[in-house]
Amino acid sequence: MNDTTAGPTSGPSPKVAVIYYSATGNVHALAEAVREGAEKAGGEVRVRKVAELAPEEAIRRNEAWAAHVQATQDVTQATKDDLVWADAVIFGTPTRYGLPAAQLKQFLDTTGGLWEQGLLADKVYAAFTSSATRHGGQESTLLALSNTFYHWGGYIVPPGYTDPVQFEAGNPYGVGHVSDDGATPVGDVESAAAAYLGRRVATVTKRLLAGAAAA
């Protein structure tokens, strides 16, 4: 299968924001792979985490969660300015009963003012996720995020089956990882799929920017 991310090598550099929530590190690892793919496609990338809402006591009781909070304390926290800056936004979240995590949802719920001004329209959007179990709500989580993108008036760019890695990863809606209750870290296939998503989003965004500049 041909790589459909092939596109113009010149033109405006797309600004890509990767905004995520990660508790124990799997979504963070996917975010870094997405960053790598977007940068290789010529994107200017910001990786931002959303604010943690869980009480410290709950975090301390989970060793992996506490370790990840400590390890990523220097990652810049997302703001609404990151959304305004970006030409494309790729969101990452664990599944929570088949829905995005409350931490990411809370960030989305602060964007009403931007939506009302039309500042979130005509941007490219995509998403990635991780679940503890296979069939643990990944697709419904990604589709739930797409509901937000519809309201914003965005261009949703899923990976589909547009690259050979997608036939290994198997999720056309976005990128998904199964942690097996924390026993399985992000592997080569998931990392490659995440990098491909970043590359595809950056390339499609570049095409849209080039078309707008030529119009």
Side-chain angles (χ1 to χ4, degrees):
M1 175 173 291
N2 292 329
D3 183 349
T4 60
T5 63
T9 57
S10 60
S13 177
K15 294 178 288 188
V16 181
V18 181
I19 297 178
Y20 75 95
Y21 172 72
S22 186
T24 58
N26 292 310
V27 175
H28 172 76
L30 292 173
E32 289 299 323
V34 170
R35 178 219 290 266
E36 180 182 353
E39 287 180 341
K40 286 185 176 179
E44 179 185 353
V45 184
R46 292 181 181 179
V47 176
R48 300 288 189 263
K49 66 181 181 183
V50 299
E52 178 61 81
L53 304 178
E56 290 186 11
E57 181 181 353
I59 296 172
R60 285 197 302 267
R61 286 200 300 265
N62 185 315
E63 184 177 342
W65 194 355
H68 181 66
V69 168
Q70 180 66 27
T72 58
Q73 60 182 330
D74 294 331
V75 177
T76 303
Q77 188 166 301
T79 70
K80 288 178 285 186
D81 288 341
D82 295 311
L83 297 175
V84 175
W85 168 84
D87 301 307
V89 187
I90 309 174
F91 288 100
T93 177
T95 66
R96 294 291 186 263
Y97 300 117
L99 294 168
Q103 289 85 344
L104 183 64
K105 184 61 166 62
Q106 191 275 339
F107 176 77
L108 296 176
D109 287 346
T110 69
T111 62
L114 300 181
W115 162 79
E116 192 172 26
Q117 297 174 68
L119 295 176
L120 302 176
D122 302 327
K123 298 175 185 284
V124 171
Y125 296 100
F128 55 97
T129 189
S130 178
S131 62
T133 59
R134 196 166 302 279
H135 308 300
Q138 292 188 14
E139 291 178 355
S140 63
T141 297
L142 296 170
L143 290 169
L145 279 172
S146 291
N147 289 335
T148 299
F149 311 152
Y150 296 139
H151 281 260
W152 287 351
Y155 303 116
I156 299 173
V157 176
Y161 292 102
T162 57
D163 185 88
V165 73
Q166 285 304 112
F167 290 90
E168 296 183 76
N171 193 332
Y173 300 95
V175 175
H177 163 256
V178 179
S179 74
D180 297 313
D181 288 322
T184 303
V186 172
D188 292 342
V189 171
E190 296 95 340
S191 293
Y196 173 67
L197 180 65
R199 188 167 81 249
R200 177 168 164 79
V201 166
T203 301
V204 170
T205 305
K206 185 182 293 186
R207 290 175 185 164
L208 290 173
L209 292 173

